[in-house]
Every structure is written in structure tokens, then in C-alpha cells.
Amino acid sequence: MSDTKQSLNRREFFSYLTVGWVMFSAACAGLAAMAFRFSYPNVNFDPEMEFLAGAPTDYASGVDERYKNAFGVWMVKSEGKLVALSNICTHLGCIPTWLPAELKFKCPCHGSGYYMSGINFEGPAPRPLERYKVSLQPDGKIKVDKTKVFRQEKGEWDNPDAYLNV
Amino acid sequence: MSESNKEPGMAYSMPKLHKIMAILSFIFLVTTLWVFLDDYMRPWKAYQVEALKIKRRHLDEQIKAAAKEIDSTKLAELNAKLKKVEEIVQSRKSDIESAEKDLKVIVTKFKDQTITNGILNGQVGAINFKYETSLSHKDPKAVTDKAFNKLQELKARFVKGKDSLKALQAEEKVIVTKITEYKKEVTRTEKEIKEITNKLNLLELAKKTTTIDPVFALRNLPFIDFLDPTIKIHQIVVNNVTDDRYFRHVPKVDRCITCHTFIDQPGYEKEVNPHKTHPRIDQMVGLESPHPMKQVGCTSCHGGEGHRVHDFRSAAHMPDTDKQKAEWITKYNWHEPHKIQQPMLTKSQSEASCVKCHSGVELIPGATVLNEGRMAIEKYGCNGCHKIDGWEHKRKTGPSLLKIAGKVDKEWFKSWVWEPKAFNKHTKMPAFFMQSNNSKPEFAKLNMAEVNAIAEYVWDKSKPYEANEKYTGGNAEKGKELISQVGCMGCHGVDGLEDNSKKVKAYAGPWLSGLGSKVKPDWLVSWLKKPWHYQEDTIMPSMRLSNQEANDIAAYLLGLRNVQFEDLKFAKLNLADQDRVLLDYYTAFDTVASAKEKLAKMDSREKTLELGKRSIGKYGCYSCHNVEGFDGLAGIGPELTKVGSKPAGQFGFGIHHDIPHRRDAWITAHLQRPAMWDDGIDKVFKDLNKMPNFYMSETEAKKITVALLGQVSDVIPLSGVKRLTASETMYHDGMKVVNKYGCTGCHQVDGLRGDVLNMYMDDINQGPPRLVGQGHRVQTDWFYNFLGNVQPIRPWLQIRMPSFNLSTEEKNRIVGGFQHGSKQPTFTEPAESVKWIPGEREETIKLWNALNCVSCHSGGFTNDVALAPNLHLASKRLRPTWIKKWLTNPQAILPGTSMPSFWGDDGKTPIETGYFGGDADKQVEALTKYVIELGQK
Amino acid sequence: MAGNGLAKKVRDTQVWKSIFRHGPPDNARNRAAVIAGNVFLHLHPIKLKKSGVQLGYTWCMGGLTFFIFLALTVTGLLLMFYYRPTAEYAFNDIIALREHVPLGIMREIHRWGAHAMVITVWIHMFRVFMTGSYKPPREFNWGIGVILLVLTLLLSFTGYLLPWDQLAIWAITVGSNMAKATPFAGHGGPGAMLARIGDFVMVSDKNDVRFQLLGGRFVGEPALLRFYILHCVFIPLVVGVLIAVHFWRVRKDGGISAPL
Amino acid sequence: MLKELINKIADPLYSFPITTFLFYLMMRYYRIFGSKKFGKWALILSVPVIIWFLADPNFILIILFPDNVPIAILLVMVAFFTWFSLHKAAENDVRIEQGLGPIEATPENREKVWSWPNLVYTELFAIIACTAFLVVWAIIFKAPLEEPANPTWAPNPAKAPWYFLGLQEMLVYFDPWMAGVVLPGLVVAGLIAIPYIDTNPKGNGYYCFQDRKWAIISFLYGWLVLWVYLIIVGVFFRGPNWTFYGPFEYWSLYKIVPEYNINLSEYLWIKGLGVAMPKNLILRESLGIILTILYVGVIPVWAQKATKMGRQFYKDLGSIRYYIFMFLFVTMMSLPIKMVLRWLFSLKYIVALPEWELNL
């Protein structure tokens, strides 16, 4: 009795009915997966988020503004570290000015002030400026990757990707 | 299945339905998998995998090199040292631990204080807002005061809180410094080790990204490859350059770098395509080049379908040679691109695209083929008949015919027009007649009537010309020598001097051949002495020849005869033919009967002049030659401004199926034998293709093709084109005059041309001076006056700076152009009198003597033959800063100059240490002063 | 009411008869025929309980929701003639709709209608809950209704971006930033940082749900196009189908609810 | 001044408990609330109040912002229909108590009537009225159109569409993954689950309250207080920087509210024990994690074992339904609980794991 039942089960499993519908479902799932995949384009037209920023030796100690207009980044070298600092005020997204005489960034909109390190110390800014990922390429060029952001209040500035030892 | 198996109410048996369902589902499943595969298999992916391997190979080599660089003994030493110092630091363990404990306490306190301060900060802000609001609302004083007092209290607390935070920070710093101090030996040694191994480490890190491992496979698996694929389409979006989609211009998208993986990275020059570095990475594509890839893209220059990456063909690659074509056919199954707006320019044509962005410039440095093509267009005067935007300022290529009767014989003229090459095989004058489409006897005789009529018309309109000099006979041998010495060869090729002529490849003037059979002797002497006496707007300069010299040269040139040509007798005007051709014109807008009536009313002379005028108009003679009655008329050829965008289908290929039906192929073929499109086509006389035959070589035709292919309709946005600054405009305007008068036939200007220098390869100092930084070298006033009144500067030169008939404006343009090209202010004259510190002058004279300057610069010092310019003139001619620059290192400016670089290749090596302490700068300064002083005495 | 004169003549023409198979609905037979014979009206039963026609009981909010949906479809279709979903044109086209396109309140009707639909659908749900009409046998239809409610919000949300003004992109930025925080599927959500092998980041701003929604890392031109398609084609289609199911089930589950 | 008082109590800190209390009163005394007299007087009294509100320049500025008009309409409609449904429910409850059965079940109302014209015409009237209303609305109020989209500059405040402002308001108390994804997801799931959890056979197809008290109370609390009320706060009372502004307050960009929130772990380690925060994340947040587990896992069990109502529910629903219901209920209640904790203790997160983007 149990024997026949087992063989019946096996036969049922490999029957045209099961195999047919399993294949049908698989094919439908495959097409659905294609449709899902279709919604992710293979190229995107977002603005450039990475750029090459010369060699570490190109930078003197202090704030370098050469990539500010094109990429919105200050390269800041101090205390043996080179960082890429975002130039967007954390208050309302204005663009602060670097005041070399006073050694601080000052936002023209609501007066937020930041130290050279990016730490906020006056005005309404709620948190320090953000830093971007910097890495060294084998040819000695610095690559700045703006897709990866490091925030001081999250303790991310100590991440080895957030600065270069120079 | 038998009937009995069916359930009642069933049309089919269930097992049968299941079976069909299973079969169809199987097919369905297979097609679904096929969809995945079809989507996944792309040729470019293979290139990227290959590129990965290549990169790995390169990295391996670099790693090997970097490893070799590392001083292994030093590294071992450092590692040993590290172990030692680690022990030292270990011995301070208890100190470190206690410091770290302290630090922990501080950090906790710090955090606590931060929270307190944060709360206070918020309260201060809120109360402050409340206070300010109540002030602005003019609340009762009691309310305001209350808020104010509260605010002051809070602020005081906040300040205190901030103070204690600062105190904590200071404490923290002290402890941190202490800990660093404890650990300093290790940190230092680690840093030293890192300095040595850094490069290797970076390379190893980079190598990791090139491994092909399971993660790599996973990332690039079908379906999953949207997450973070390593193999993907790379693209450049160029907003500055657009694609013309007719309704709209859209930013260019170039995906070429998907396969051309290392195009912008130096170091891959030896790989094969597509993995090769761009051959001119310093000029193009490179990050630091003037045309970085991300700003210019690829197809902006190369053409083709930059956004298509499906396979090799879809990008519309074009082979440069037949060999390459055959290779591509086997390798990529290549065929001519179909339905493509702008196929890629072949490798040798890519310079064409420079013109798209660099307008207002005649010669573009580095674009050799393009420059030669453009010069050829000017040489043959294509722009005369064919309008090209931006070429309007060019003069007519051929000589003026306004006074032709005073120059040549009418019979000669007819034979010449009939077949110019029969007289001068080097001539640029093209052949209109006896071409494949009009050499039939019935056409030829009509052509003859036309030529007769043209001559009659030109002679009728020709103004009388009286030569102002007389040919008195001269020494032909001497003349020949003079021709090769004084500089004629800079513009003219000359019979009998073929060797040098071929070296120079003169460009501005005609090849001088058979003049004895052509011009009147008096005219020739007169022309040589003062060319603008005959033709006011000629660019032919006066070489300031003496009467004897002029006669000698004339003697030589008149001795060149073409006897065969002299014997030619041109057929007399056939009146019937004349009528027949005129009838063609008149019947264009009229019936045959009334046209004939009109003709009958005219006398023979009238008819001839009418036909002459009509024919000059028909063949466009006036485009190259000044002819009375044709002022300001547009050329007869189609405009070429946008010929590079003309659809290939709009070119008529006639019966020539062997010529590839492409724009470039048509233009090249057309230039070599324009009449070919009439082959095998039955045309009436008036409809024949009139483009004359220049008997151009294929090389030349291809160069012109390149120049014309760049004439495209693409509108490059202002942000994308090279916009000349005011200064650059001045420079290029000046260069237009320089090019017009053929200055570059003799002078090499900042490395460009200087054709005649090819005659002086033995001793370049015998040739015309090369002009490098000319605007910096000479003073503005001097330069202007020099152009108007040439004074020899280099007495040892046989070649002469000619006197051109320049207008004031032209002189100003030349001077201004050079000045702006060198980025110099207009006036920098030396000071009125040179100021010396006591003793300096004496020391300078000693140095001067030590260097023995007068051995070459003898002018005004000794009676020796001068081998260098007279330094007494220098202070009026040269800018002081330039004198210094020149003295410092002349070889750097003019390689091969006879002026020695005293201070070595760097201009700093001390010499003559006895003077000015051997300080090069001081010595140069002193000599400069002395030279200026010389001129002021 | 047999009618007379012109009305009768019209009713007797072959054309009229070919369209309306029955006489005027003034007797039982014809009242049944007008409902049963009309493809649009036969959504209704021929007869229903009296409570079902009382506004005090039904509030007519479901019916109004459907009507507003139809009105939005019509106005939306018309707006599509003038509106181009591209970053260059979208804003100008919206201005055009107000400034020179005939019937300058078309966009207003569409926008206010959208808000009204959200309100009516909420109150419809409120009523259905208050009358306990989700109880058996209507559990499934309540579920469909909840999904329709969500889709209504999504329809309105996707439409919000189309004017391409500051209000639009920042509202959508705020709204879509929430998708960023989806656990495991959004790059700012919990679990996202677990999904990585070495430098192979499986959940990042380039491949998470928000990217799928926006077609980019931020609200940009692809987002405009995606929202346009979702708003004009995709969600309306789904909503249309679900509405059909909803109505079908209303009928099959015993008509408009009433005490058992 | 009265306006200042209203400004003050509109702050969720006060208005949320007040609303909850009013909701309690409404449920407790639904028969009084649902009486015609109450409705009449409420209407009569609200008219001058509304006029007084509208007379304020700051309030009118907010209410007349075109996209806020629908919220005003929603408010009016929700108020009316809440009253109306409770009115009908009260009526039916009285009838049921008298043994008469709900009014919808009277033979008179059970009578079958023709769809044409009864239903079709009713619908047509509603459609015509609705169309007219929409057209008038469209003519009077222009659809909003601000400056062209500019990704480099955000307006302040940047608000989501109004129907999502409840979610955005929740963002004040919860991280986006909770406020934007988990909670709304559970709302939808919970709504769909209602018919399967509420197995009470009574109250099917008629208005009533007494027969399904707990179902109505929990639904209405979620709908009126946690949904509509939060939307009102989000739309009308949240200005620049998502700072609270009273209905009569000018939206000054410079308003600052004292707000500095502290994590539970900071309370524990720094303020409580006075030691440094542990490096181990789980240890650091252990208290919050334990509390959360207790809240979600233990409360339902405890309620079932220890409370009378819990036992009753468990008996009525069975274990699966009971736990699903309790899970949904507990999640729903986490919002008010988190609000209260925030106001009382400036508590930022119970579990703060920004390293894992996991904050509760």
C-alpha cells in the first residue's frame, strides 16, 4: 500500500501537469524579474561625483579652493591630514566663504561659522561640514568620491577613508 | 487517447492538455532564458575583461619595479628597529594605561558637558528669540526686562559651560600628547616603513581591484549586475558640444571609453586597439591636455556614433586604409555604415574637426594635414568660386587682368587659357578645356569661340600700361644667382633652379617658367623693381634691386622660353560658333526665333564682346582675377561652408560605382578630375560640368578633403568653442596679414613654416631669421617703421627682407599681432640713460672683452665682416627684457643660432667667475645695460 | 407617459431604437431594462435595499470617489496634450496651461479633484468602518479597498512632482527620502550596511528602492519621467482594474451593505 | 491673551494630550456628543470662533495657502461625519437597547426599490453637486506654482504632500525607517487585517457603538488622533526648520525652540553611571534593547495573563488573532509613548545605533 502511494507521489511529481506549471511559473517569474531589472538603467546621467584632485604635494597647508566651483569641495590640509570638505552649509545649504585672514568659513546667509577643520562654532549651523571620501591612486593622484559622506557627529571623521595622511 | 478516457462534458482529455501545457511551458521557459542571454552577451564586455587582464599585467610590472626600488636591507633594519621600539613602548605600558584611564574620565566629562551645553544653547536661542520678539512687538517693559534678565543669566551659564568645555579639551590634549609621546618611537618607525612601502602598497591595492574572483563573477551576473557591476558601459556626457537632432541640439554622449579602456591613461601606448593610449595624449583626451576627455568627448573630433556601443560596427568606425578595411571585414564583419548621419572620420581625417571649434584662426598649431589642406585651398583659390564662411578676407589668387594688354600678348593669352599646363607645367591655373567632358570636336570648337571672345573682352577692357623701366639687357648667370640668393625662392619656384624649388615648395607666387615667351621685357623689369606700379594690390614685394640686378634677373627669366608654346597658333574666331554659343544664352529666357532676331541685330564685334563677358561669367574667371565689369560678384561654385555635413546622398556620383558613395571619397575624386561626373552622361554644351581641372595629386586632394570635411553645419554652443580673447584675436588677425604676404615663405614664425629655410639646412644662420617671440624681441615703434622702411640688420645675409606695399592698417596688424602673440605691452623702451653703480661699468667692459662679443658683433667696433647684428642699433630695436632673455640662453630660443649660450643650457652656469662673482644673473644684467648704452651714444 | 410630438418621433426612429432597446423607464419592465441593458448602468443592481440609496447611510463617498477618478482621467488626458515631462519644458508647460491654453482651470480641476479624491476615499473608508461593512462576506473587498486607498495616495503623490516647481521637487524629495530608509532595501535603512562583500556594495544609492523609484540618485529628470508614467499610465491602469474588481465584489458580496 | 494661550496649547506637547482627552470624552459620552442638540450648538458656536480665527492675519495666511484648502475641507468633513456617524450610532444603540434593532434593519428600509431612478438619480445629484463644487473651487483657488525646480536650493520648510504630513510629523519622533516605512506599512497591513481580527459578528451593516465599542475606539483613535490630528499639526503648526508655530504666530525664520535630545544610553552611562560609553554597541544600547523587547514581547503576554480585558480578548480572538492584534496595537501606541517620552525627558532614541542606521 505504502509502496504504491510513494510511486504514485513520484509519478505525480514528475507528471506533465507539475512540470508544465512549474516551468510556466518559472518563465513568468523570469519575465517579471526582467521587468524589475528593466527599471534599473545600465548607465546614468547624474553629474560627476568623482574627480581627480592632483597629488598631495600640490597642496600647501591650509584651505585650497581650486575645486570649489567645479565640484563644491575645499581641500584642507592641516596637522598632517588632507581632507575634502563639502562647501554646503549644514544650516540651510548656502555656500560659505573662506576667510583666510580669520581662518574660518563664514556663511553669508545666516552667519554660521566653521573652523578650518569644518567644525561649526558660531551661528545657527546644527553640525559640522561634511567630508568626502579621499583616496590615493597608485599614480599618486588623489581621488575624491562625493558619493561617500563622512559626518563628524556620527564619529565618521576617524574613518581611514575620510582623510589622507600627508 | 480513446473516447472512453474522456470525462463527460470534456472536449479534450486532461492528460493531453497537461502534455501540451508542458511542451509550451518548456518553449516559454527557453525563450525566457534566451532573453536573459541575449541581453547579457555584449561584445564590449569581452573588451573590458581583456582590459582588466592588461591592467593586471601592467600593475604586475609596476609592482615588480616598485619592489625593486625598495631598499630591502633598510626595510629589514626598520622592521628590526620596530620590534625593538615596540619593546620600549611596551615597557611604558602602565604609564599608557593610566593615561588612557584619565582620558576616559575626561571624555566622559566632556560628553556630559556637551549635553549640558547643548541644552543651554537651545535655551539661549529660544529665550533670545522670545526677547527679540517681545521687543519688536513693543511689549510692556516688565515683560521685556524679565526675558532680558533670564537671557543674561542663561548666557552667563552658557559661557561658563563653554569655558569648562574648553578646559576639558585642553586637558584632553595634554593627555593625548602624553600618550603620543609614550608611543612616539613606534609611530615614527611605522611612518618610515610606510614611506618606503607606500607605493608598493598602493599598487597592491590597485591590483586587488583587477582580480577575477567569485565576487567579480557575482557582481557581473545577469540580473544581479544592476547592483554594483564592475563591467559596465562608461560614458562621457559633454554639455558643451551637442549632437544635431534637427529639432533640437542635444548634449553629446560618448560611450567610446567603454571599449577604449585606457584611452586617457598614459602607459598603455604599446597595447593594441582598443586598449591603446591616445597617441597624442598631451594634446587630446589627457587630463592635463588642452582638450580633456570629459570636456570635449570623442566624437566631437572623430565623428561617428559615440553613444552606440552594441558592437564594433554600430559606432560607425571607418577604416583608414584598404588594408585596415580588409582586416576589419575579417575581424568584425565590418561594412560601410548605413543610415548614419556622420560616420567616423578616418584616422588621417580627424584633424578636420579642429575647425568646428577653432574659428578665426588660419593655421592651427599641430594640425598639419588640416593646415596643408587649407593652404592648398588658398593656393588653388577654391574659395574664389566656392564661398566658405570665414575666408572672405582672402585675396584673389590670380593676377589682375585690368592691365593685361601691357603685360602679355593676346595670342599667348588664348593659348594659355586653352591649356595652361602646356606652357607651365607647375602652374596653379586650372584647365577648363580639353577635359573628358568637353574635348569632343563639336564642344571644343565652341570652347575655342569662347576663349577667343574672352581674350577679346579682356583686351577690350584692359587699361593701357606703360612700363616705367626699360630692359637694358643683363647677365643671365648673375640673374640666376641673384634669384636663388635674394629670396625670390621663398615665394616662387623657378625653372633651372629645380633642386631648390623642390626643397622650398614655394606657395605664395607662381612657378617662374617660360617668361621669355610670355611677358614683355620692359614690363618684367618694371615689375621686378616696383610691382605695385602694374598691380596696386599685389603682394609681390620689391627686393630693392638695383637697376643692374633687376636687369640681370630679367635677363635670366627672359631666357626661359617655351618654344613649343610660342609656335602655337590659336584658331581664329569662328562666327558661326560664336552665334551658336550666344544663342544658348539668349534662348535661356526667350524663344529661339526672338533670340535669333536679337542676334541678327548685333554686329560681329558686339557679339564677341558679349560672348566674352558671358564666358568670363560662365567660367568664373573673375573669382581669381580682377576683370573689369565683374566687381563684387559672388563665385560661381556651390558654397562649401557646410559641405562636411552635406548628406552623402546629395553628391552626384554619376556612373562611378567604384568610388565609395561617401562624402570624403566624392570630394577627393572630384578634386582630381572634376569632369568625371559627366562620364557616360549625355549632356548638352551649356550643362557641362564647369569645374576646371587642377591636375592635383591624390595626396593634395586628400588634404583638401580633410579641410573641407571640417566645414560642418554642427553648431557648437558658445561654451564649447574656443573663444579667442581680445589678445588672441589681435594675434590671429596679424597672422592673417602675415600669411597673405607670404612672410612665412621665408620666416619661420613660432615654429610654423619658413619654407625657404629648407635651402639653408647646411647653415640655418644664412637663412632668413626665425621669428620666435618676435613681439617680445623688437620694440613696437621700431617694428612698425621697419616694415615701412626696411633697413638690413644682418649684413652677412644674402637673402633680403623685401619691401612690401603694406597699408598702415596692415603694418599695425602685423606689429600688434606679434606683440599680442608674445603677450607684451605695446611700449617697453629702455630708459633714457643707463644708470651704473660705481665700478660696475668698468667690470662690465672687462666682461665684455672677456666674452669677446665684438668678434662677431663687429659692426661699429672693427672693420671685420660682421657675423651678427650691429649692437649699436640694439637699443632702438630690441626690448631690454628680451635682450636679457636672449643673452641668458639663445639656443633655447633659436636652436642652432651662432650666438653662443654662455651660461649653459640652464642659463645659470657661472662663467668668467672673475666678474660679478660669477653670478650669471648679474652678468647678463650688466651686459644688457652695456648694449643699451651703446645705442644711446 | 407615451410622449408626443417631436419626442415621440425621435423615440420612434430606427436610430434611437437601435441604441435604446426599451421604452421610457416609467414602468417596472423598463426600469429593469434600463439598468440591465446599459453597459454603464448595469454596475448597479436592478433593485436594491432602500437603505442603500439613503445618503444618510452611504454618504455616497464611494460613488463620488469613482466619479472623481473618472473626472481626473478625463482632465488628465486633456492636460497630457500640452504637458511634456522633461526638465526643460515641464514647468513652462504648466505655466502655459494657466496662461494661454483654453479652459485655464483644467489644471486646477485636476489638482483639486486629486485632493478631493483623497478626502472622499478616506471618508468612504471611515463610513465603511463605521457601518461595519468590512465584516463577512466583505473582508476581501475591504482589502481591495485599502489597496485602492494606498494607490490613490500614490497617484496623488506621483502627480505632485509633475509641475516641476520647488514645491514639487522638494515635496517628492522629502517623500522619497523615506524610501531611502527602507530596511535592507534602502541605502539609509537598517541592514543596508550588512549587504556588502568587500567593495561590492549591494545596497547603495545607485541600486536601492529609492533609485528604482526615481531612476537616479536624486529627484531629477528620470524621476520626472518615471513619475509621469506611473501617474498617467501605470497606477491608473492598476486602479482601474482594482476598481472593477471592487465593484464586482460589491455586487457579488450582496450589494451595498445593509444589516444582515 | 487668548490668542497666546491658543498658540501655546496648540503645541503638540499640550494639544496631543488634550486631543487624546477630548477623544476619551467623545467616546465616553458619545450619546451626548451624538445628539442633535450637541451638533446644533457646536455648529452655532463654531461659526464665530472660525470667523475670529480667520480674522487673524497669520492664520489666514496659512489657511489660504492653496494646498492647505483641502485640509480645511477635510477638517470640516471629518468633524461633521464623525458627529454624524456617532449620531446614527447613538440612535441605533438606543433602538437596540429597546429591542427594536437598528434603523437600517426596519422592514421599511429593507424594502427593495428600483435602481432607476432612485439610486441613479441620487448618484447623479451627488455628481452634479461635486462637479459644481470642484469648478467653483478651481475658479477661486489657483493651483500652487512656485519657482522652477532648483535642486541646489530647498525651500524652508520643505514639506511632503499634505496627506503624508502625518508621516513627516512622525519623523520628529522616529527615524525615517520607522516613520516612513515600518509604521505606514503596518498601517496598511493593519487596515487590511481588520476584518480578519475583528470577528465580532455584531454591527455588520449598520451604525452602532455599543456592540463593537473596542473596535471603534481603537480605529477612531488611530484615524482621528494619530492620522488626522498629526496632519493638522504638520500642515498648520510646522514652519521653517519644522519648528512649532501656533496658529496665530508669524512663521519667522529665526524662531528657535529649546530642543536638545538625549539618547537613553547617554542617560544611562553618562548621566546615570557617570562612566564612558562602552565601545560594544550592543552593550551600550542594552537597556534600550531590553526595554523594546519587553514592550513588544512581554506586554501582550502580560495583558493576556494579568488583565481582565486581555483575557476576554484572548478568549474572543484566539491566540493568533490576539497576538497580531496586540502587536499592531502596541506598535500604534509606540507613537504616543515616544511622544510623551520626548516631551518629558527630551529622549531622542531608546535604541540609538546610528552606526547601523537603526534608531528606535
Side-chain angles (χ1 to χ4, degrees), chain B residues 209 215 218-219 224 226-228 232 248, chain C residues 88-89 197 199-202 204 206-207:
Chain B
T209 63
V215 178
L218 182 72
R219 286 173 95 154
I224 297 175
F226 74 95
L227 287 174
D228 191 11
K232 58 188 169 194
R248 201 156 305 289
Chain C
E88 298 124 287
Y89 294 118
I197 309 172
D199 58 349
F200 175 26
V201 183
M202 280 180 254
S204 72
K206 286 186 287 187
N207 56 30

Side-chain angles (χ1 to χ4, degrees), chain B residues 225-503:
Chain B
D225 58 2
F226 74 95
L227 287 174
D228 191 11
T230 47
I231 295 185
K232 58 188 169 194
I233 294 174
H234 297 274
Q235 67 180 15
I236 306 165
V237 181
V238 197
N239 287 309
N240 286 341
V241 188
T242 51
D243 279 330
D244 192 357
R245 292 297 175 258
Y246 305 108
F247 289 93
R248 201 156 305 289
H249 287 267
V250 292
K252 202 173 250 312
V253 179
D254 279 343
R255 308 205 164 108
C256 315
I257 50 170
T258 302
C259 298
H260 292 276
T261 41
F262 302 118
I263 197 78
D264 63 331
Q265 295 170 33
Y268 296 88
E269 289 81 2
K270 285 185 187 139
E271 300 300 332
V272 289
N273 259 327
H275 302 296
K276 209 166 153 181
T277 307
H278 196 281
R280 294 178 69 179
I281 187 102
D282 55 322
Q283 270 301 311
M284 305 288 166
V285 169
L287 196 63
E288 266 126 44
S289 73
H291 307 92
M293 183 171 80
K294 296 213 163 141
Q295 276 171 44
V296 179
C298 312
T299 56
S300 334
C301 299
H302 288 279
E305 296 282 289
H307 47 134
R308 296 197 191 180
V309 283
H310 189 269
D311 59 19
F312 182 83
R313 278 168 305 177
S314 61
H317 286 101
M318 290 299 294
D320 199 34
T321 57
D322 286 341
K323 198 180 141 220
Q324 194 170 39
K325 184 172 160 183
E327 189 191 325
W328 285 4
I329 288 171
T330 46
K331 215 163 149 189
Y332 307 110
N333 199 11
W334 182 87
H335 56 68
E336 292 257 349
H338 301 305
K339 312 279 181 196
I340 293 294
Q341 190 184 12
Q342 176 63 274
M344 222 174 280
L345 295 168
T346 68
K347 194 178 166 194
S348 53
Q349 291 168 348
S350 45
E351 282 172 12
S353 302
C354 303
V355 187
K356 281 207 256 182
C357 301
H358 294 272
S359 52
V361 181
E362 292 197 331
L363 298 179
I364 300 168
T368 324
V369 182
L370 174 74
N371 287 347
E372 283 174 9
R374 284 162 77 94
M375 277 159 63
I377 290 178
E378 191 181 357
K379 175 170 137 193
Y380 290 117
C382 310
N383 54 311
C385 290
H386 301 279
K387 188 184 168 206
I388 306 174
D389 273 357
W391 288 64
E392 296 81 0
H393 63 282
K394 296 282 187 192
R395 60 190 296 278
K396 291 185 175 181
T397 308
S400 163
L401 302 182
L402 293 176
K403 300 175 191 166
I404 187 69
K407 178 180 175 185
V408 298
D409 178 63
K410 203 199 279 181
E411 278 310 307
W412 177 90
F413 179 87
K414 290 177 189 171
S415 302
W416 161 257
V417 171
W418 186 253
E419 203 182 345
K421 290 260 191 228
F423 178 70
N424 179 355
K425 63 181 176 176
H426 301 288
T427 187
K428 297 180 278 187
M429 169 90 170
F432 290 83
F433 308 110
M434 297 311 281
Q435 296 303 305
S436 55
N437 62 343
N438 59 10
S439 53
K440 282 199 278 190
E442 67 260 42
F443 289 164
K445 67 184 180 142
L446 299 179
N447 284 149
M448 281 181 215
E450 286 175 329
V451 171
N452 271 313
I454 289 171
E456 292 305 327
Y457 178 86
V458 169
W459 254 256
D460 185 68
K461 297 287 177 198
S462 175
K463 293 195 180 65
Y465 175 74
E466 235 6 278
N468 63 345
E469 301 282 346
K470 283 267 175 284
Y471 174 58
T472 55
N475 183 338
E477 269 315 301
K478 215 144 174 240
K480 185 176 178 185
E481 208 182 312
L482 276 170
I483 287 173
S484 60
Q485 280 172 355
V486 297
C488 306
M489 313 275 306
C491 295
H492 300 279
V494 186
D495 270 4
L497 291 162
E498 277 83 1
D499 278 356
N500 279 338
S501 297
K502 270 177 196 148
K503 274 189 209 157

Side-chain angles (χ1 to χ4, degrees), chain C residues 104-169:
Chain C
I105 59 162
M106 190 66 78
R107 178 176 163 240
E108 275 73 19
I109 293 179
H110 194 77
R111 191 176 183 107
W112 303 142
H115 290 329
M117 185 171 164
V118 174
I119 295 171
T120 53
V121 83
W122 283 2
I123 292 180
H124 175 58
M125 181 187 73
F126 181 39
R127 194 281 293 171
V128 170
F129 184 87
M130 291 309 283
T131 57
S133 304
Y134 56 82
K135 299 193 175 196
R138 299 191 180 80
E139 314 101 301
F140 178 70
N141 217 15
W142 164 268
I144 302 271
V146 172
I147 293 169
L148 277 169
L149 168 88
V150 173
L151 288 175
T152 306
L153 295 183
L154 286 181
L155 262 179
S156 185
F157 181 67
T158 48
Y160 219 81
L161 182 63
L162 304 189
W164 204 240
D165 61 346
Q166 283 288 74
L167 190 64
I169 68 160

Side-chain angles (χ1 to χ4, degrees), chain B residues 115-324:
Chain B
I115 293 170
T116 317
N117 279 9
I119 296 168
L120 274 171
N121 186 26
Q123 283 172 340
V124 168
I127 296 290
N128 195 28
F129 176 74
K130 204 172 152 188
Y131 167 64
E132 285 169 3
T133 319
S134 82
L135 263 189
S136 68
H137 285 186
K138 300 203 169 64
D139 282 348
K141 198 169 179 303
V143 180
T144 344
D145 280 352
K146 206 179 135 199
F148 182 73
N149 292 335
K150 182 93 195 281
L151 182 64
Q152 291 312 312
E153 187 227 317
L154 277 170
K155 271 190 176 169
R157 275 171 62 199
F158 187 38
V159 168
K160 227 170 113 194
K162 277 207 268 194
D163 250 15
S164 59
L165 208 60
K166 276 179 202 156
L168 285 169
Q169 233 164 349
E171 272 182 67
E172 187 190 350
K173 208 167 187 179
V174 169
I175 299 177
V176 169
T177 341
K178 215 155 90 188
I179 297 176
T180 347
E181 190 65 21
Y182 287 142
K183 292 181 180 169
K184 69 172 181 215
E185 290 91 347
V186 173
T187 339
R188 206 184 294 145
T189 319
E190 273 172 349
K191 203 177 168 196
E192 278 170 47
I193 293 175
K194 209 192 154 193
E195 260 165 29
I196 297 179
T197 55
N198 194 23
K199 197 176 175 194
L200 187 67
N201 291 344
L202 283 172
L203 285 167
E204 297 276 9
L205 218 62
K207 196 183 159 189
K208 260 190 202 159
T209 63
T210 63
T211 41
I212 296 178
D213 55 9
V215 178
F216 172 86
L218 182 72
R219 286 173 95 154
N220 299 303
L221 228 50
F223 185 74
I224 297 175
D225 58 2
F226 74 95
L227 287 174
D228 191 11
T230 47
I231 295 185
K232 58 188 169 194
I233 294 174
H234 297 274
Q235 67 180 15
I236 306 165
V237 181
V238 197
N239 287 309
N240 286 341
V241 188
T242 51
D243 279 330
D244 192 357
R245 292 297 175 258
Y246 305 108
F247 289 93
R248 201 156 305 289
H249 287 267
V250 292
K252 202 173 250 312
V253 179
D254 279 343
R255 308 205 164 108
C256 315
I257 50 170
T258 302
C259 298
H260 292 276
T261 41
F262 302 118
I263 197 78
D264 63 331
Q265 295 170 33
Y268 296 88
E269 289 81 2
K270 285 185 187 139
E271 300 300 332
V272 289
N273 259 327
H275 302 296
K276 209 166 153 181
T277 307
H278 196 281
R280 294 178 69 179
I281 187 102
D282 55 322
Q283 270 301 311
M284 305 288 166
V285 169
L287 196 63
E288 266 126 44
S289 73
H291 307 92
M293 183 171 80
K294 296 213 163 141
Q295 276 171 44
V296 179
C298 312
T299 56
S300 334
C301 299
H302 288 279
E305 296 282 289
H307 47 134
R308 296 197 191 180
V309 283
H310 189 269
D311 59 19
F312 182 83
R313 278 168 305 177
S314 61
H317 286 101
M318 290 299 294
D320 199 34
T321 57
D322 286 341
K323 198 180 141 220
Q324 194 170 39

